[in-house]
Amino acid sequence: MTALDLSSPVAVVGTGTMGQGIAQVALVAGHPVRLYDAVDGRAGEAADAIGARLDRLVQKDRLTGAERDAARARLTSAESLDALADCALVVEAVVERLDVKQELFRALEDVVGDDCLLATNTSSLSVTAVGGALRVPGRFVGLHFFNPAPLLPLVEVVSGFATDPASATRAYETARAWGKTPVTCADTPGFVVNRVARPFYAEALAVHELRAADPATIDAVLRESGGFRMGAFELTDLIGQDVNESVTHSVWQAFFQDVRFTPSLAQRRLVESGRLGRKSGQGWYDYRDGAERPGPHTAPPAEAPAYVVVEGDLGPAAELVGLIREAGVEVRPEDGYGAGRIVLPDGGTLCLTDGELPGSEDLVHFDLALDYRAATRIALSASESVRPGLLSGATGLFQALGKEVSVVGDVPGMIVARTVARIIDLAFDAVARGVATPEDVDTAMRLGVNYPLGPFEWNRRLGDTWARDLLSHIHEWEPSGRCAPSLALHRHAAAADAREGTPS
């Protein structure tokens, strides 16, 4: 099954931001495109708006004048659904209400031929449910574009329970012919991206609700240590707090209130107060004229130790040994058992967070970094009873490496580590349940939400037992089940233990 021929007309129903974006993608690819909207005059306005965007593409040398003129000639607005009768593909981008979408597709079935591919751009509803009332449900698929559709490459091609494999393949190949990067997935709540991405927001909100760090500090640590493009609070302000919470609530409800997807009370209060983010002028941050953006908590300068003792293997933080040497701090290596640690001259110990609470007055945890050399900030955590001077020594060591230091509360797994571990866990769970392949999950998370690594890439880098062990420790301290490792992750880690001869 191949992509639709470029001579085949494509229709887009619903001409808001997403509908216009999808229409532009199909139009620039070379298809005749027809726009329809139930509101009189809206389709014509959308056609004008798309034409203006084509003009801007010419100004940016991304289209020639001739290509623009040809595209404009292929774009028409339809006065009724009857005008879509000969279309080979109809993509719906109307309001996210099941009854509205079902009514639309029932009406479309009375108009288009039985070989016309019908697609929904829904991000939160069941593709199976939307297409369930159709006479020919096998030709119905999900084509979930990401906003802005002309710029973002990812398209999730979603097969409902009744979708014919040939229809899914045609939709996949068509999206690829349009210059997109499609991934295939089963019809489960959140598909791939909105399912696997929930911990990125949830763990930031959990750390904030536990008063371990403020939003600006959490965002800075996620960006400058975790390597994420944006922090969770600034990203939800950009998306819209109401939109982000709605997706979280939808996924949670669709999974029968699975504790792993529980919405945040703090975000609920923000939405109830009308602080929806950039679009309302206030969210976690204040975007009104003259408002000052709060900075992250950054520790004051401290003195670096003259030397450190490194016992054992630091695992994902092993790169720190070379960085410490390069900073002029003497490193005295010693053999050690279990997790590696850095010992300061006064006997205080620094360890990469393992999901346990620091507990001891002689222990400081540091957070995971995507790349310790490139990281510009490191988070530290210690118990309230930490020995005076130990935090200062730990701070001075990381400052000697050229890092800003943020001291946060003693939350198990800190910020980056618990976030990455939970993303890895949900990715393994999704694959085990047949949602998508590991390769498609990695592609979706890198292209759909700009993660620096896909979850399976992260797992390979961190080690096959790292996420399970960290989440198991967090679960001991927070036994709600929200952070408990999935069966899929347990199985994967147990297999790794067996290969290495380690009791699991």
Side-chain angles (χ1 to χ4, degrees):
M1 184 66 67
T2 58
L4 294 176
D5 188 273
L6 289 181
S7 63
S8 302
V10 171
V12 177
V13 178
T15 58
T17 301
M18 281 305 304
Q20 290 182 32
I22 295 167
Q24 182 179 329
V25 171
L27 189 66
V28 172
H31 287 273
V33 174
R34 294 174 194 163
L35 299 172
Y36 174 78
D37 199 290
V39 178
D40 288 343
R42 189 73 60 81
E45 293 172 1
D48 291 340
I50 293 170
R53 284 200 290 272
L54 295 178
D55 289 338
R56 289 195 290 273
L57 290 177
V58 172
Q59 294 168 3
K60 296 176 180 179
D61 293 327
R62 294 178 185 172
L63 277 183
T64 66
E67 289 170 334
R68 174 199 58 199
D69 294 343
R72 277 182 165 171
R74 294 193 301 271
L75 179 63
T76 56
S77 56
E79 298 298 324
S80 69
L81 289 180
D82 291 340
L84 313 183
D86 63 339
C87 287
L89 167 64
V90 180
V91 183
E92 163 273 316
V94 302
V95 64
E96 286 285 271
R97 278 181 47 189
L98 180 61
D99 59 334
V100 173
K101 292 179 188 290
Q102 287 180 328
E103 182 180 354
L104 168 64
F105 282 111
R106 280 194 293 263
L108 280 168
E109 269 203 316
D110 293 335
V111 172
V112 301
D114 286 355
D115 59 346
C116 175
L117 193 62
L118 299 178
T120 175
N121 184 57
T122 186
S123 61
S124 60
L125 299 176
S126 164
V127 171
T128 301
V130 176
L134 294 182
R135 177 173 49 80
V136 188
R139 42 90 169 267
F140 187 76
V141 299
L143 274 179
H144 181 214
F145 289 78
F146 288 75
N147 191 31
L151 297 180
L152 293 185
L154 184 69
V155 177
E156 292 176 319
V157 181
V158 186
S159 290
F161 187 78
T163 300
D164 189 320
S167 298
T169 299
R170 171 153 284 186
Y172 180 95
E173 293 299 337
T174 298
R176 189 164 66 170
W178 290 357
K180 297 301 179 182
T181 303
V183 297
T184 59
C185 60
D187 181 25
T188 59
F191 310 141
V192 176
V193 172
N194 279 329
R195 175 182 180 144
V196 178
R198 294 345 297 161
F200 180 71
Y201 314 108
E203 297 315 308
L205 286 160
V207 171
H208 171 62
E209 288 177 330
L210 290 168
R211 295 295 182 262
D214 60 274
T217 299
I218 295 169
D219 278 354
V221 172
L222 286 169
R223 286 193 316 269
E224 299 172 37
S225 184
F228 292 96
R229 186 76 59 87
M230 298 179 74
F233 295 96
E234 58 190 344
L235 180 55
T236 53
D237 269 358
L238 178 64
I239 294 169
Q241 296 300 331
D242 54 338
V243 174
N244 182 260
E245 193 214 23
S246 176
V247 172
T248 298
H249 196 271
S250 174
V251 172
W252 175 62
Q253 289 284 19
F255 276 115
F256 306 104
Q257 300 185 359
D258 187 327
V259 68
R260 295 174 301 167
F261 302 100
T262 302
S264 161
L265 181 58
Q267 189 175 42
R268 175 91 291 261
R269 292 291 179 258
L270 201 69
V271 172
E272 288 174 339
S273 71
R275 298 188 175 191
L276 307 182
R278 289 181 179 271
K279 63 185 176 183
S280 69
Q282 285 181 286
W284 293 110
Y285 301 104
D286 192 338
Y287 301 94
R288 294 172 298 181
D289 290 344
E292 186 174 342
R293 176 79 172 258
H297 168 77
T298 302
E303 186 175 350
Y307 70 91
V308 298
V309 176
V310 176
E311 297 181 358
D313 183 0
L314 297 181
E319 189 176 23
L320 286 174
V321 177
L323 297 177
I324 293 170
R325 286 196 176 102
E326 291 172 20
V329 177
E330 181 187 355
V331 175
R332 301 176 183 177
E334 287 188 6
D335 293 334
Y337 299 97
R341 60 181 190 160
I342 300 170
V343 182
L344 300 181
D346 65 359
T349 299
L350 279 66
C351 291
L352 173 63
T353 181
D354 60 357
E356 298 276 14
L357 288 177
S360 167
E361 65 177 13
D362 292 320
L363 177 62
V364 172
H365 278 161
F366 59 89
D367 206 351
L368 180 69
L370 172 70
D371 179 338
Y372 281 98
R373 181 175 293 277
T376 57
R377 182 176 300 272
I378 296 293
L380 301 180
S381 177
S383 71
E384 293 180 359
S385 62
V386 66
R387 180 160 44 81
L390 179 52
L391 260 179
S392 178
T395 297
L397 175 63
F398 281 101
Q399 287 174 340
L401 308 186
K403 317 299 183 187
E404 301 278 11
V405 173
S406 291
V407 178
V408 303
D410 55 346
V411 172
M414 300 185 69
I415 299 171
V416 178
R418 68 186 289 149
T419 299
V420 171
R422 286 213 60 221
I423 289 170
I424 289 172
D425 182 56
L426 287 191
F428 270 93
D429 183 61
V431 169
R433 295 176 186 275
V435 176
T437 65
E439 295 76 18
D440 276 356
V441 170
D442 277 356
T443 297
M445 302 315 292
R446 282 189 289 101
L447 299 184
V449 278
N450 288 313
Y451 283 4
L453 292 174
F456 291 93
E457 294 173 303
W458 238 320
N459 183 71
R460 287 190 292 273
R461 177 182 289 197
L462 294 169
D464 289 321
T465 62
W466 178 85
R468 177 206 58 185
D469 293 346
L470 187 132
L471 290 175
S472 295
H473 290 151
I474 295 176
H475 178 58
E476 291 173 5
W477 293 101
E478 302 177 21
S480 68
R482 194 173 64 84
C483 292
S486 65
L487 177 60
L489 189 62
H490 271 300
R491 285 172 170 165
H492 178 79
D497 285 336
R499 289 192 301 270
E500 298 173 6
T502 303
S504 59

